[in-house]
Amino acid sequence: MLAGKHESRMETAKLASWMKQSKYTVVLTGAGMSTESGIPDFRSENGWWRRIDPRSVATKEVLYADYTLFHEFYSMRIRGLTCCKPHKGYYILAQWEKNNIINSIATQNVDRFHQIAGNHKVYELHGCIRTIRCDSCGTAHAMGDFLDGSGCTGCGGRLRPDVVLFGEALPRDTWEKAMTDIERAELVIVIGTSLQVYPVNQLPFMTRGRIAYINNEIGGDSHQFDLFIKGKAGDILCKLDEIITS
Ligand code: OAD
């Protein structure tokens, strides 16, 4: 236990020194970044996909075959956001962007917490659950229209959150921008993701720079990373910030 803590302190110091050297750093986040804000991730013990089969709620087929279930699942997730807010780690990332310590964030998260905390250059690779559109004609609608079960006011189509459902393509422009940034990065910091979902799990390895991975458990092959820091995202970000700003 003591050895583990000691090791994590050394690794954190090493990452801080890499951050100081790097002229272009990109952060990639996943659901583990938001668990300390009270939002469940997908594959941990309390994760969504441990309770519900994603194919039964998060596909285009379900949107049409069982709108009641689709609507219930996404309404629950949207309502769940109202009592949560970004934790300290989010505000550290926002400050780092302001101070040119990091250049951009690519995220799989749909909660928009990075922007709420103050980051501007954010690539939402899996969309955003706070914005609603008609699946048929694309017209934007208010969140309330979705929550109260309305159809599209223009064409009568089904309303849905602007998230990427299983089987749908990622937003191309966003993906390309994230990929370009990661390719040119001297350092990529991956935070709170199991790296199980394609194609985002390929992104970190497109860089020619270093790759650091912060997670409370090792996901994938540890040899793929130049550095692994085991721990809670918020805690590690606070520690890194202390070192960088001291
Ligand atoms: P996962 O739930 O697959 O992985 C989250 C990872 O974060 C796990 O390895 C956890 O151990 C770790 N973790 C949890 N809390 C943490 C904390 N406080 N600090 C550090 N690590 C922590 O979530 P993602 O990898 O983001 O896609 O999942 C990827 C995609 O799968 C999601 O965007 C979603 C889902 O299906 C869509 O809905 C399209």
Side-chain angles (χ1 to χ4, degrees):
M1 186 68 179
L2 277 173
K5 271 189 183 163
H6 176 65
E7 199 181 308
S8 134
R9 221 173 19 238
M10 305 247 296
E11 304 300 3
T12 306
K14 193 191 257 188
L15 178 54
S17 80
W18 288 359
M19 290 174 71
K20 284 181 183 170
Q21 287 164 26
S22 168
K23 288 189 276 303
Y24 208 93
T25 298
V26 179
V27 173
L28 171 68
T29 59
M33 180 70 201
S34 289
T35 54
E36 287 158 84
S37 286
I39 300 175
D41 65 8
F42 294 94
R43 294 172 183 82
S44 293
E45 208 179 327
N46 297 318
W48 284 110
W49 301 156
R50 293 292 185 107
R51 290 172 272 164
I52 309 166
D53 177 354
R55 285 160 305 185
S56 73
V57 283
T59 66
K60 187 101 161 196
E61 288 71 40
V62 179
L63 172 67
Y64 283 93
D66 192 345
Y67 189 67
T68 305
L69 184 64
F70 177 91
H71 183 263
E72 193 185 329
F73 176 66
Y74 282 102
S75 299
M76 183 168 59
R77 286 185 54 194
I78 291 170
R79 289 204 169 96
L81 280 182
T82 54
C83 56
C84 299
K85 51 186 193 319
H87 57 73
K88 181 89 196 300
Y90 274 98
Y91 289 95
I92 288 171
L93 290 175
Q95 194 59 41
W96 286 355
E97 183 185 321
K98 207 169 161 196
N99 297 345
N100 292 318
I101 294 168
I102 61 169
N103 294 82
S104 60
I105 297 181
T107 187
Q108 297 165 91
N109 298 343
V110 295
D111 51 36
R112 201 151 268 182
F113 275 6
H114 287 301
Q115 292 95 321
I116 292 170
N119 281 98
H120 296 283
K121 214 165 156 199
V122 181
Y123 306 121
E124 291 178 318
L125 298 162
H126 288 169
C128 175
I129 202 167
R130 295 175 190 266
T131 55
I132 304 294
R133 67 179 155 90
C134 170
D135 187 61
S136 303
C137 70
T139 303
H141 280 70
M143 191 192 284
D145 294 341
F146 176 73
L147 291 177
D148 70 19
S150 305
C152 175
T153 44
C155 74
R158 296 191 172 189
L159 299 188
R160 57 170 285 180
D162 226 339
V163 295
V164 176
L165 300 174
F166 280 92
E168 288 186 320
L170 271 58
R172 183 195 282 251
D173 188 46
T174 306
W175 169 261
E176 278 172 4
K177 283 181 179 152
M179 197 171 67
T180 305
D181 258 16
I182 283 179
E183 277 172 353
R184 72 174 280 201
E186 293 179 11
L187 175 63
V188 176
I189 307 174
V190 180
I191 308 176
T193 170
S194 62
L195 288 172
Q196 284 192 36
V197 174
Y198 180 87
V200 177
N201 61 1
Q202 306 299 303
L203 265 183
F205 311 107
M206 292 178 182
T207 188
R208 272 162 286 176
R210 287 165 163 156
I211 313 169
Y213 182 39
I214 301 169
N215 210 55
N216 62 10
E217 61 184 8
I218 187 81
D221 181 355
S222 59
H223 296 105
Q224 291 177 295
F225 309 101
D226 297 298
L227 187 65
F228 171 57
I229 305 177
K230 186 173 175 8
K232 284 182 164 184
D235 291 350
I236 304 290
L237 287 168
C238 287
K239 284 181 192 141
L240 280 169
D241 193 53
E242 272 169 31
I243 303 172
I244 288 169
T245 54
S246 66

